[in-house]
Amino acid sequence: MIEYFDRRTGKITDRKTTLERIWAIGGQRGWYYGNWMWKLRGYMDEIAGGPGLRRGRRHPSDLRAGDYLDVWRVQVADREAGRLLLYAEMKLPGEAWLEFRIVDGHLVQTASFRAKGLAGKLYWYTMLPFHGFIFPGMIRKLI
């Protein structure tokens, strides 16, 4: 399998506020930027038989490992270390993760995708224009 990454970094000015925003992402609040695209992806997932966005989140500002978060499952939620790792439970030709990590006064936002076959490669490259729009805006809103 081939692994692809989209990594964005931004300098944070207030760690506490950035962490609060990260821990409140998704659900009713949305994804801070390009929400109509997140909703569209959620509807597409529902049509494909996945969970879509209908699950929302357990709590508006608290996340724990094992929680669902829209189409994601929380793998790591370590607020003290400044790390949130989400695993995609949507229907995909591969496996996907979205990670937020605070390192040396910077927020590092990484989308990772482990492609399965040609369909996975095509999926990644089809999503790149959307990533190029959504992810820069999302990290700006988080910091």
Side-chain angles (χ1 to χ4, degrees):
M1 283 193 233
I2 296 175
E3 214 163 324
Y4 298 98
F5 300 93
D6 181 313
R7 184 166 287 124
R8 313 286 169 147
T9 305
K11 184 167 178 44
I12 61 174
T13 56
D14 182 343
R15 187 179 197 277
K16 181 181 177 198
T17 299
T18 299
L19 281 171
E20 287 171 2
R21 290 176 184 155
I22 292 168
W23 254 251
I25 203 165
Q28 293 292 336
R29 180 176 306 262
W31 291 82
Y32 295 106
Y33 196 82
N35 278 322
W36 69 271
M37 288 186 192
W38 287 102
K39 287 179 184 176
L40 178 63
R41 182 62 184 98
Y43 295 136
M44 290 169 53
D45 186 59
E46 284 185 45
I47 290 168
L53 300 178
R54 65 180 173 256
R55 299 188 302 183
R57 49 180 297 152
R58 174 187 58 80
H59 186 276
S61 61
D62 180 53
L63 291 172
R64 299 180 192 149
D67 281 357
Y68 53 83
L69 178 56
D70 297 330
V71 296
W72 305 91
R73 179 70 59 177
V74 177
Q75 297 290 294
V76 176
D78 187 338
R79 199 174 180 128
E80 187 175 312
R83 182 174 183 227
L84 178 65
L85 177 64
L86 307 174
Y87 175 75
E89 292 189 334
M90 61 188 114
K91 298 291 184 177
L92 295 169
E95 297 177 294
W97 294 266
L98 182 58
E99 181 178 37
F100 303 94
R101 184 184 288 240
I102 295 177
V103 180
D104 297 327
H106 290 80
L107 175 60
V108 180
Q109 172 187 283
T110 307
S112 307
F113 184 67
R114 188 175 300 150
K116 289 185 183 173
L118 180 60
K121 291 176 188 177
L122 290 172
Y123 175 82
W124 176 258
Y125 287 110
T126 300
M127 291 295 107
L128 276 180
F130 299 101
H131 290 175
F133 177 76
I134 291 174
F135 290 145
M138 190 165 72
I139 196 168
R140 276 194 312 271
K141 296 285 185 171
L142 289 170
I143 58 175

